[in-house]
């Protein structure tokens, strides 16, 4: 990908950067997306002084199984958690507490059992769409290899923008949406804090420019995240976008991650990335409300 001065697998990261090998692309996808499985792809984020690394995760399993993304979109209704957590969001209770109901009345539930995450987004009337849980969404490099991959996805206000900061998109990525949510991971590489920072930074980098139009990405420190039975870490990336190919491409964006480790040692991530400073952009409170619905499925 032409990134110079990037450390190789197992090498040191840049100053203040997440550790190496801690961003495993996740989810099912067509074989063309999976060519980078087992390799380590390094992304140098210009202006942020951060080296973000990706390594093959559960894509290997998907490739061997011959999984392909579904073309149709559908909401996945699955058991949700109960109780009340921060900002009035439910938390702490087992999934069986509310059956197949979302944690917020009128919202839609999305589940990705492969990554052991379940979450809710607002309803269709609020311009949210959920997709088939195994449908892949990705951003590729110039050789068509995936930089980042997610499944169990949802989009907010898709189709509102005819141009994107990164045209190397696959699936429902880069369709002009103002926000996207999904799950990823499956590797044992790196720590929870490294994975949390890398997921936030890598998705902010890939969705808002990628290697061809490098945005400036500032990744904050990973912080503990203990809600709804998840004992993990979260991180935030602030993005300044260089390639504003049309006026509806935002000048700034934000990406948040949640990383959890399963008993088998694999680390899985939940990510939301969202345009900022444009009409109908998600507010900090709206993003927090969505994040507070994230809960685990049984490992």
């Amino acid at each position: 990908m032409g990134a110079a001065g990037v450390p190789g697998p197992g090498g040191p990261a840049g100053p203040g950067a997440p550790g190496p090998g801690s961003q495993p692309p996740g989810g099912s996808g067509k074989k063309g997306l999976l060519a980078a499985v087992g390799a380590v792809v390094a992304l140098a984020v210009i202006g942020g002084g951060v080296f973000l690394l990706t390594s093959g995760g559960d894509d290997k399993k998907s490739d061997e199984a011959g999984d392909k993304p579904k073309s149709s979109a559908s909401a996945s209704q699955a058991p949700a958690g109960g109780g009340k957590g921060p900002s009035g969001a439910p938390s702490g209770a087992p999934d069986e507490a509310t059956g197949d109901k979302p944690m917020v009345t009128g919202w839609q539930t999305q589940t990705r059992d492969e990554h052991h995450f379940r979450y809710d987004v607002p309803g269709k009337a609020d311009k949210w769409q959920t997709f088939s849980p195994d449908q892949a969404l990705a951003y590729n490099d110039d050789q068509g290899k995936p930089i980042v991959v997610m499944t169990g996805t949802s989009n907010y206000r898709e189709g509102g923008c005819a141009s994107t900061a990164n045209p190397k998109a696959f699936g429902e990525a880069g369709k002009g949406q103002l926000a996207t949510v999904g799950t990823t991971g499956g590797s044992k590489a790196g720590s929870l804090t490294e994975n949390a920072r890398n997921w936030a930074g890598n998705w902010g980098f890939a969705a808002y420019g990628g290697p061809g139009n490098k945005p400036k990405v500032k990744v904050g420190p990973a912080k503990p995240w203990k809600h709804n039975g998840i004992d993990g870490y979260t991180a935030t990336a602030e993005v300044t976008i260089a390639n504003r190919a049309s006026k509806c491409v935002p000048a700034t964006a934000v990406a948040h991650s949640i990383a959890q480790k399963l008993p088998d040692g694999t680390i899985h991530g939940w990510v939301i990335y969202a345009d900022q400073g444009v009409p109908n952009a998600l507010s900090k409170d709206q993003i927090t409300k969505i994040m507070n619905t994230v809960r685990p499925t049984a490992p």
Side-chain angles (χ1 to χ4, degrees), residues 33-147:
L33 274 177
L34 304 173
V37 170
V40 175
V41 182
L43 309 180
V45 180
I46 289 182
V50 178
F51 293 109
L52 304 174
L53 303 180
T54 68
S55 64
D58 67 351
D59 294 88
K60 185 172 183 179
K61 293 185 298 182
S62 299
D63 193 18
E64 290 170 349
D67 288 352
K68 294 184 179 180
K70 298 291 191 298
S71 59
S72 61
S74 63
S76 175
Q77 293 293 331
K84 291 289 180 181
S87 303
S91 69
D95 290 337
E96 291 79 2
T98 55
D100 61 355
K101 295 180 181 179
M103 298 170 77
V104 178
T105 301
W107 283 27
Q108 307 171 79
T109 298
Q110 176 65 292
T111 300
R112 182 57 170 156
D113 286 326
E114 185 172 6
H115 294 306
H116 305 282
F117 279 109
R118 179 174 293 126
Y119 66 92
D120 301 327
V121 295
K124 294 180 180 178
D126 292 316
K127 309 299 182 181
W128 279 90
Q129 180 178 10
T130 59
F131 297 95
S132 176
D134 60 354
Q135 177 172 323
L137 177 157
Y139 288 96
N140 300 337
D141 64 16
D142 290 339
Q143 286 72 49
K145 295 180 181 179
I147 299 171

Side-chain angles (χ1 to χ4, degrees), residues 218-289:
K218 180 181 179 181
V219 184
K223 299 178 181 180
W225 181 268
K226 297 183 180 181
H227 300 302
N228 305 333
I230 292 176
D231 187 0
Y233 279 84
T234 184
T236 298
E238 297 176 351
V239 185
T240 302
I241 298 158
N243 180 34
R244 299 192 68 193
S246 76
K247 64 181 181 181
C248 57
V249 173
T252 61
V254 66
H256 299 277
S257 67
I258 298 172
Q260 66 171 339
K261 180 180 285 188
L262 299 184
D264 66 1
T266 58
I267 299 175
H268 299 259
W270 179 96
V271 178
I272 181 170
Y273 59 92
D275 297 6
Q276 297 291 279
V278 294
N280 300 307
L282 292 180
S283 68
K284 181 178 179 180
D285 287 346
Q286 289 172 314
I287 292 173
T288 297
K289 190 173 182 180

Side-chain angles (χ1 to χ4, degrees), residues 13 32 63 66 117 138 159-160 162-163 172 202 208 225 299:
D63 193 18
F117 279 109
S163 186
E172 293 298 321
N202 279 359
Y208 293 103
W225 181 268

